Amino acid sequence: MNVKSLVGRRAAVAAGLVLALGCGVSTQASAAGTGALGGKAKAKAAVATCSQKELGVSAVKERDARHLLLTVQNASDKKCNLYRSPLVRLGAGTGNTPVIKDSDGTPGVPVTLSPGQEAYAALLVSGGGRDEYEAKSITLGLQGSKPGSSAGKPIDVPMPVNTLYADDGQLVTYWTTASGYALDFIMSK
């Protein structure tokens, strides 16, 4: 990655974070519980599930407008967990973008974000050779801790270009804290 794209990515993340903060990003309290271990009671803080309340969100085109990097940043003062992959809808598409199964580097383990930390998912907007449609929006949903559940409300992601040309070959990766790892799954497509 060159310095120019890194600077552009950081600026986009900062813009997304400013947008999210301007829309009332707040903190979500972590749940706390107690348990006994060896006869001693210990306080155990549970890590909350990330929702739109904690996250700043951005999308940056990598090579071209077909290859996007979705970035979320924990804007709260508590840790939070991202589960599995983002639920992405491009424009008025009929469903969520399919996930690349092989992109889950740690199956079943959530990505835990400390305050200020970022996570990434790579999005292939079009697989080529199929009927395209114009997408003027990206909507991102977060999964809850239980499969099939959701966390918070859908998030409108700032568009990296005015219009994306999507098709039914679109794919998204699981969440990761390594942007290069996520991008490896879509850049050859």
Side-chain angles (χ1 to χ4, degrees):
M1 180 183 319
N2 64 37
V3 173
K4 185 176 179 182
S5 68
L6 180 61
V7 169
R9 178 175 299 141
R10 293 290 180 217
V13 169
L17 185 56
V18 167
L19 177 65
L21 288 172
C23 293
V25 170
S26 63
T27 61
Q28 177 178 342
S30 293
T34 59
L37 181 63
K40 295 181 181 178
K42 287 191 169 189
K44 179 182 168 186
V47 177
T49 301
C50 297
S51 73
Q52 82 285 355
K53 294 177 183 178
E54 290 84 25
L55 301 177
V57 180
S58 69
V60 177
K61 61 181 185 168
E62 284 301 311
R63 183 183 313 150
D64 54 37
R66 286 182 57 231
H67 302 91
L68 302 182
L69 184 66
L70 302 174
T71 304
V72 295
Q73 183 179 42
N74 183 351
S76 76
D77 60 357
K78 306 263 190 221
K79 288 182 180 181
C80 67
N81 284 334
L82 288 171
Y83 292 91
R84 294 170 291 288
S85 63
L87 303 172
V88 178
R89 285 185 186 255
L90 294 172
T94 58
N96 291 325
T97 300
V99 67
I100 301 171
K101 302 287 184 209
D102 295 344
S103 67
D104 191 358
T106 54
V109 177
V111 173
T112 301
L113 295 180
S114 296
Q117 189 175 12
E118 297 175 346
Y120 311 93
L123 174 63
L124 181 66
V125 174
S126 64
R130 299 177 181 151
D131 291 334
E132 287 186 335
Y133 65 93
E134 290 185 5
K136 296 192 179 280
S137 65
I138 302 171
T139 305
L140 184 144
L142 300 170
Q143 296 192 50
S145 61
K146 294 180 182 173
S149 67
S150 62
K153 296 179 182 180
I155 302 167
D156 292 323
V157 180
M159 293 283 287
V161 294
N162 291 333
T163 302
L164 294 169
Y165 295 92
D167 66 24
D168 59 358
Q170 59 193 262
L171 296 167
V172 70
T173 65
Y174 282 84
W175 290 114
T176 181
T177 55
S179 61
Y181 179 76
L183 289 169
D184 283 347
F185 288 93
I186 68 161
M187 294 308 278
S188 63
K189 297 180 188 279

